[in-house]
Amino acid sequence: MKYNCSCCPCPLAAHMYSNVCIPFVFVCLPIGMRTWQGQRTRTGPRLTAKAGAASKLPLIEQFFLVMVRLRLGLDVVDLADRFELSPSTVSRLFTTWINLMYYKFAELPLWMSRKKVNKFMPPCFKEWYPTTRTIIDGTEFFVEQPSNLARQSATWSNYKNHNTVKALVCISPDGTVTHVSPIFEGSISDADLTQKSGLLPLLEHGDSVMANKGFDIQHMLTSIGVKLNIPPFRRGEQQFTPDQVVKTKKIAAVRIHVERAINRIKQYSLVAGVIPNSLWDVSEQIIHVCAFLTNFQPALVG
């Protein structure tokens, strides 16, 4: 193999290979996995296949291949050369593992109970916003221009001046990613994104949600007894009052952590760049897997 520590010119690859054990063990506990053969439906982690070149590659090395592609964004031709496989085998392996990881990670109870949120709540939240259950933000991912004209129009984002898909990312006060919505077209508003994200049924009476000014969603939350904490608006006034300035600074000081969490997700180069059309059918799985993998990193907020 061309990625071994003794001959790999990239120290990052060697470092990654030595740090995939925890997610690998979790994903591979029930290994009745078979390689993907091109079905375009999402039916679960047990995928139909036949034996081939992929079966000759040990599972840990297959997993490493997938992690390298996620982290470095290498294309299938490059990976095929490095792992001495055909590009089609690399593509099938990647799709197989992404679907398996997606369904395995979905089994984790990511959404934290009120009790757990309180237990791990950082001091800054305890002092200023003790009822915070989640901090939310929408983020866009660039996608290659679709050939389908309707999809081109739906995914066009005026804000990014590019075709994008958008997801809602929710974190707990300690920085753990606790919910990621399905992906939607990049033109969707923050309010519609929240409505369709699956977040609202997870909230409980007495919770509060923190967001930026774009999330005008208090009307959605009031009916379920949840408070929205966002920076204040001037509403025609020439400047903020002293109290509004203090509130803006307090929210900004703690809301920044959701942006840091999203930045962690986008450290995976495959989603930080332009997701190609060849990965459109698994783009949601890729984004979710990258988000879930950040929870294996050290705590974001101490």
Side-chain angles (χ1 to χ4, degrees):
M1 302 302 169
K2 300 185 180 181
Y3 58 85
N4 288 340
C5 298
S6 60
C7 61
C8 180
C10 177
L12 177 59
H15 173 74
M16 286 174 61
Y17 189 69
S18 65
N19 286 276
V20 299
C21 295
I22 294 177
F24 172 76
V25 169
F26 174 80
V27 169
C28 289
L29 284 177
I31 212 68
M33 184 185 69
R34 298 170 181 264
T35 42
W36 182 268
Q37 290 296 305
Q39 291 90 336
R40 303 177 73 88
T41 57
R42 304 169 184 171
T43 57
R46 291 185 178 273
L47 309 174
T48 61
K50 58 185 178 181
S55 63
K56 300 175 183 177
L57 197 65
L59 291 176
I60 183 66
E61 294 176 6
Q62 294 180 26
F63 185 75
F64 179 60
L65 180 155
V66 174
M67 294 293 287
V68 168
R69 189 175 192 196
L70 290 175
R71 177 63 79 174
L72 303 182
L74 303 181
D75 62 30
V76 293
V77 175
D78 189 331
L79 288 167
D81 179 60
R82 292 173 188 266
F83 286 82
E84 300 174 354
L85 299 169
S86 69
S88 61
T89 298
V90 171
S91 181
R92 287 196 302 271
L93 270 177
F94 183 78
T95 303
T96 298
W97 277 93
I98 283 297
N99 278 282
L100 177 67
M101 293 166 72
Y102 174 78
Y103 284 101
K104 284 299 296 179
F105 288 148
E107 295 174 2
L108 285 171
L110 287 181
W111 184 254
M112 295 172 66
S113 67
R114 179 76 257 175
K115 184 178 180 180
K116 285 186 177 180
V117 169
N118 290 342
K119 179 179 179 180
F120 296 107
M121 186 171 289
C124 56
F125 279 93
K126 286 183 178 178
E127 180 181 358
W128 297 337
Y129 301 102
T131 62
T132 302
R133 187 70 176 273
T134 186
I135 306 100
I136 66 174
D137 201 5
T139 186
E140 294 183 63
F141 300 88
F142 287 180
V143 294
E144 186 179 354
Q145 185 181 69
S147 56
N148 180 286
L149 293 179
R151 187 178 290 173
Q152 276 186 35
S153 176
T155 58
W156 180 257
S157 169
N158 290 324
Y159 178 64
K160 295 290 186 178
N161 197 35
H162 201 283
N163 293 94
T164 67
V165 292
K166 192 172 184 179
L168 185 76
V169 176
C170 310
I171 67 168
S172 61
D174 71 338
T176 303
V177 175
T178 54
H179 181 69
V180 181
S181 76
I183 59 171
F184 298 94
E185 64 278 4
S187 57
I188 192 172
S189 69
D190 288 338
D192 287 343
L193 178 64
T194 305
Q195 183 74 56
K196 299 176 180 179
S197 68
L199 170 65
L200 300 181
L202 299 174
L203 299 169
E204 299 176 276
H205 189 278
D207 287 342
S208 63
V209 173
M210 185 169 288
N212 63 33
K213 289 183 179 180
F215 285 84
D216 186 16
I217 57 173
Q218 183 61 72
H219 61 287
M220 301 180 195
L221 302 179
T222 300
S223 61
I224 55 176
V226 175
K227 180 182 177 182
L228 177 65
N229 287 318
I230 60 174
F233 293 89
R234 284 194 310 215
R235 301 192 184 282
E237 300 173 7
Q238 290 187 349
Q239 61 184 17
F240 287 127
T241 65
D243 287 344
Q244 288 175 325
V245 171
V246 170
K247 182 178 180 181
T248 298
K249 288 182 177 180
K250 284 182 177 180
I251 291 178
V254 290
R255 201 195 67 80
I256 189 68
H257 298 309
V258 71
E259 296 178 12
R260 294 175 61 208
I262 291 171
N263 182 61
R264 275 188 170 184
I265 296 171
K266 293 186 176 180
Q267 285 176 1
Y268 289 92
S269 297
L270 192 59
V271 297
V274 178
I275 300 173
N277 284 333
S278 59
L279 294 177
W280 175 266
D281 290 330
V282 289
S283 56
E284 183 172 305
Q285 292 97 309
I286 291 170
I287 291 167
H288 279 233
V289 165
C290 290
F292 296 153
L293 284 171
T294 64
N295 286 341
F296 287 98
Q297 299 177 26
L300 189 64
V301 186

